[in-house]
Amino acid sequence: MTHTKPKLAWLGAGLMGNPMAGRLLAAGYPVRVWNRTRAKAEALTSQGATVADTPADAVTGSDIVFTMLSDAEAVEAALSGVALPGKTLVQMSTIGPGENRRLAGRIEEAGGAYLEAPVLGSIPEAKSGKLIIMAGGSEATFAEVKPILACLGPEPRLIGSVGEASALKLALNQLIASLTVAFSTSLGFVEENGVDVNSFMEVLRQSALYAPTFDKKLSKMLEHDYRNPNFPTEHLIKDIDLFKREARSLDTQALEVLLQLYGRAQARHEREDYSCVYDAVTKRC
């Protein structure tokens, strides 16, 4: 028996959304794509996508709707006035646990199903289908969507109810922000004192302190070239702020320092990679 693939609507064809939608098209799914800047959506037509003029147009006739947008405000704007009864919304943007729960409540009250599915990884992983996908929602909704998510990441994982996956995602992004500042501080100290950077990295790699992200960002920091970002600084700032607002019972004073450093770096390196925080740590900006 031939099984017809579900029709998909994809809202958001930016740095991550474009390659992710491309993988679904390559897997044979019919995809209607909408993006606020139409040209970014049109870049997917060569792969078989249909470009929609509005989110409502993209959703019409679809079975499952995906959102991969910058923040909760963008998600709310895209879904405003869009009818979703009988459809499944897979919300993949990085937004707060509370924001996901509120949105899930509205979708389910209107007769739709909801799954949050934030991802860990950047453009290379999006292109290769190696994203780490964390889902929050019911087991039934996850089972329905899992074969599609498997086109984007090898092992989609159901973390728990709505809000738990987005909390995990923010916890990981906070770690990215903190690790990058910590590494920048050590690297800057090593350079300031004339220690050979290769020796520093060789010892670091042999220790329990090492994280692969250090090597991924090292050349950008040493060359002070943060163009062609996999993860723009402005997005990480948004996530640090989200974490700070959602973490009501924690002492988040350290995050104030992170926000100051990344903010200073962003002012100098607009829309560039978040590793530019090295220039803020070393007082180049």
Side-chain angles (χ1 to χ4, degrees):
M1 181 183 294
T2 301
H3 295 280
T4 303
K5 289 182 180 291
K7 297 176 182 178
L8 310 181
W10 189 275
L11 310 182
L15 289 174
M16 291 289 288
N18 189 295
M20 291 169 73
R23 287 197 61 83
L24 299 183
L25 289 161
Y29 288 95
V31 183
R32 294 178 65 82
V33 181
W34 171 84
N35 194 72
R36 186 175 60 179
T37 304
R38 185 183 174 90
K40 293 181 179 179
E42 288 178 340
L44 290 162
T45 57
S46 62
Q47 298 176 57
T50 300
V51 176
D53 291 325
T54 65
D57 180 34
V59 169
T60 299
S62 68
D63 302 301
I64 302 173
V65 179
F66 290 81
T67 54
M68 190 62 177
L69 298 158
S70 58
D71 54 28
E73 184 178 356
V75 173
E76 294 278 5
L79 296 177
S80 177
V82 175
L84 293 170
K87 301 182 188 298
T88 297
L89 175 63
V90 183
Q91 204 301 104
M92 305 192 77
S93 318
T94 300
I95 67 176
E99 293 167 331
N100 264 307
R101 291 186 186 109
R102 287 190 292 274
L103 185 56
R106 292 207 303 274
I107 298 301
E108 290 167 356
E109 187 177 330
Y114 190 93
L115 189 79
E116 62 174 355
V119 304
L120 189 66
S122 55
I123 296 171
E125 290 77 24
K127 289 180 176 178
S128 62
K130 294 181 180 178
L131 293 168
I132 297 173
I133 301 175
M134 303 155 278
S138 72
E139 291 186 6
T141 304
F142 177 68
E144 174 196 10
V145 177
K146 186 178 179 181
I148 305 173
L149 295 178
C151 298
L152 308 175
E155 296 179 19
R157 179 179 303 183
L158 182 63
I159 302 301
S161 60
V162 172
E164 292 182 36
S166 47
L168 175 54
K169 164 66 172 175
L170 285 180
L172 293 167
N173 277 18
Q174 187 281 139
L175 194 56
I176 290 171
S178 296
L179 278 175
T180 306
V181 168
F183 178 66
S184 294
T185 305
S186 291
L187 178 62
F189 187 74
V190 161
E191 287 204 294
E192 183 178 63
N193 284 275
V195 178
D196 179 63
V197 171
N198 288 329
S199 296
F200 165 60
M201 293 303 300
E202 286 169 3
V203 172
L204 179 58
R205 291 185 194 108
Q206 294 172 3
S207 76
L209 306 173
Y210 177 70
T213 186
F214 299 156
D215 268 312
K216 289 182 179 180
K217 299 304 179 184
L218 179 62
S219 63
K220 287 182 176 293
M221 292 175 175
L222 294 179
E223 296 167 13
H224 306 285
D225 185 352
Y226 309 106
R227 294 171 293 178
N228 303 314
N230 287 330
F231 190 12
T233 308
E234 61 191 290
H235 293 172
L236 187 57
I237 290 173
K238 180 263 294 183
D239 293 346
I240 301 168
D241 189 56
L242 255 181
F243 182 100
K244 183 174 177 293
R245 285 190 277 122
E246 294 275 356
R248 299 179 186 87
S249 63
L250 301 178
D251 186 335
T252 58
Q253 293 179 78
L255 299 187
E256 293 289 355
V257 177
L258 294 184
L259 286 169
Q260 291 173 20
L261 288 168
Y262 282 102
R264 217 163 66 227
Q266 164 69 4
R268 176 75 172 271
H269 299 283
E270 187 177 2
R271 301 183 188 282
E272 295 188 333
D273 190 84
Y274 68 88
S275 55
C276 67
V277 76
Y278 182 60
D279 282 10
V281 169
T282 54
K283 297 185 178 180
R284 287 177 170 82
C285 62

